[in-house]
Amino acid sequence: MSLLMGLTSNMTSPSQLVIIRDTFTTALVKNLIVVLVWFILTFINSILIATFFRHQMFYEDPRYILFIHMVINDGIQLTVTITLFILSYIFYRINVSLCCFFILVAVFTTRNTPVNLAGMAIERYIAICKPLRYTQICTTRRTYIVIGLIWFVCVAPDITDLFITLATEPLSFFHESVFCMRQNVFKDPILAEKRKAFDIIYFSCVFLTLVFTYLKIMFAARGLSTVTTSAKKARNTILLHGVQLAMCLLSYISPSVEVVLHIIFPGRILEMRYANYLIVYILPRFLSPIIYGVRDKKFRKYLRMSLLRCSCRCTLKPVVPLNKD
């Protein structure tokens, strides 16, 4: 996963390395755009998180617990990737140990998103298809256990990359400075093949889960007229989860797309990488607030209250007492 769009390199021969950089103005504009997007998304996510924790009904509901977990996870992922983006312009090379930290956190949080989507789809399936057992199956305690399992499943395969690197590289390697890309830190070619295998497994499992839950809810909506409205909403939500999953998949096919576009437009590699970064890593982070923050009536009601409270605090001016001299 290449997160550094500020510059690229072209190896024409083993001894010849050509580094392509943006002009100062272009680099400044690109960084201002990503920082502005980060501020906007951080503000939106902060309002969502504040709304969640202000009302007990949300942090006792498995549906909203899984949602806010994804919001926090996406916020961490966005912060880490944008930090790497900016560092690639400022320093070019950073310490290997620091790079390992950034890369692993970015990978963990990127993997978390599709697995969390699968958990949310299963929760909707239980709510619609097994409503009488919902309160027994989907408890708050079990939801937090599921979140712990999501992190374990997503962290375990990739943390081994660090252990293998620790075992194969000398200690001095971790004190060096490198251009912070995954392949520059975790060099063993076997690790790349392992990552591809796990990517296929993860996304196949999530895709099959979304298809299974969607079909089950669709059949429930046809068979039981009393739950048609809620079933339709759940079905549409899972469809949006499918859109999110498709956008997550873009991060894995984008390197191949970049190669093809680079052949077609050889002089536009930096622009293509920047557009790829915005579409693949930034745009999907806008979907979570839309799915629950806007579409969900209950959450929208309290979200509006939080926004009004925030706007009132901004507009209220402190009263300055008159000086009686």
Side-chain angles (χ1 to χ4, degrees):
M1 180 174 55
S2 175
L3 301 173
L4 304 173
M5 312 299 160
L7 36 84
T8 187
S9 61
N10 181 25
M11 184 73 77
T12 56
S13 69
S15 60
Q16 186 179 4
L17 179 66
V18 179
I19 299 175
I20 306 170
R21 295 177 182 269
D22 282 322
T23 63
F24 175 79
T25 304
T26 304
L28 181 63
V29 171
K30 287 181 177 180
N31 279 274
L32 286 176
I33 290 172
V34 296
V35 170
L36 178 62
V37 170
W38 180 82
F39 272 116
I40 293 171
L41 278 174
T42 301
F43 173 76
I44 294 172
N45 290 339
S46 299
I47 296 295
L48 293 173
I49 294 168
T51 302
F52 173 84
F53 283 106
R54 280 196 185 114
H55 305 283
Q56 187 175 358
M57 69 179 74
F58 292 135
Y59 56 80
E60 290 183 351
D61 190 325
R63 180 186 185 188
Y64 296 104
I65 293 172
L66 289 170
F67 160 65
I68 214 66
H69 170 251
M70 187 164 65
V71 169
I72 294 171
N73 179 82
D74 286 352
I76 295 171
Q77 196 262 5
L78 188 68
T79 301
V80 170
T81 57
I82 287 180
T83 301
L84 276 175
F85 182 94
I86 295 171
L87 287 176
S88 73
Y89 280 96
I90 299 173
F91 299 110
Y92 177 49
R93 294 174 180 270
I94 64 173
N95 180 266
V96 171
S97 300
L98 184 61
C99 179
C100 284
F101 172 77
F102 280 129
I103 292 293
L104 287 175
V105 173
V107 170
F108 297 157
T109 50
T110 300
R111 283 201 188 278
N112 271 353
T113 299
V115 181
N116 198 88
L117 289 174
M120 295 171 76
I122 292 171
E123 185 275 334
R124 286 294 83 200
Y125 158 72
I126 296 171
I128 300 301
C129 299
K130 301 180 183 295
L132 298 179
R133 298 187 59 193
Y134 179 82
T135 54
Q136 297 175 348
I137 299 173
C138 297
T139 62
T140 302
R141 180 175 175 274
R142 287 182 177 177
T143 304
Y144 285 114
I145 291 174
V146 167
I147 291 174
L149 288 174
I150 289 172
W151 276 93
F152 175 78
V153 166
C154 295
V155 167
D158 290 295
I159 199 68
T160 56
D161 290 6
L162 178 61
F163 295 147
I164 292 172
T165 303
L166 286 169
T168 56
E169 297 288 343
L171 189 60
S172 59
F173 171 71
F174 294 92
H175 298 287
E176 296 176 4
S177 296
V178 296
F179 183 59
C180 192
M181 296 178 68
R182 191 168 180 174
Q183 57 267 36
N184 291 344
V185 177
F186 305 115
K187 302 177 182 179
D188 196 322
I190 297 176
L191 298 178
E193 298 302 320
K194 177 180 72 71
R195 288 195 295 270
K196 291 177 184 177
F198 275 103
D199 289 342
I200 293 171
I201 293 170
Y202 277 118
F203 282 94
S204 297
C205 291
V206 173
F207 175 75
L208 292 174
T209 300
L210 293 181
V211 171
F212 172 80
T213 53
Y214 178 82
L215 292 175
K216 283 288 186 180
I217 291 172
M218 185 175 65
F219 293 145
R222 289 180 177 178
L224 299 173
S225 59
T226 55
V227 296
T228 298
T229 302
S230 57
K232 284 182 177 178
K233 290 180 180 178
R235 186 182 62 190
N236 292 336
T237 298
I238 292 174
L239 277 176
L240 286 172
H241 289 338
V243 173
Q244 282 183 288
L245 179 64
M247 298 188 82
C248 291
L249 278 171
L250 289 176
S251 63
Y252 295 92
I253 65 171
S254 61
S256 301
V257 174
E258 277 187 15
V259 172
V260 175
L261 291 175
H262 182 49
I263 295 171
I264 300 172
F265 307 103
R268 298 290 180 179
I269 183 64
L270 293 180
E271 289 78 5
M272 288 186 296
R273 287 192 172 185
Y274 183 72
N276 172 71
Y277 176 71
L278 293 178
I279 294 169
V280 174
Y281 295 102
I282 303 294
L283 185 59
R285 311 304 157 196
F286 281 100
L287 284 180
S288 296
I290 292 172
I291 290 175
Y292 281 92
V294 178
R295 288 183 67 252
D296 188 89
K297 289 184 178 180
K298 183 163 72 172
F299 199 88
R300 185 171 66 232
K301 173 185 174 183
Y302 291 95
L303 179 63
R304 190 181 294 115
M305 291 168 58
S306 296
L307 289 171
L308 288 173
R309 187 183 293 112
C310 182
S311 62
C312 288
R313 286 178 181 175
C314 293
T315 54
L316 286 176
K317 296 181 180 179
V319 178
V320 180
L322 294 174
N323 191 0
K324 298 181 179 180
D325 289 334

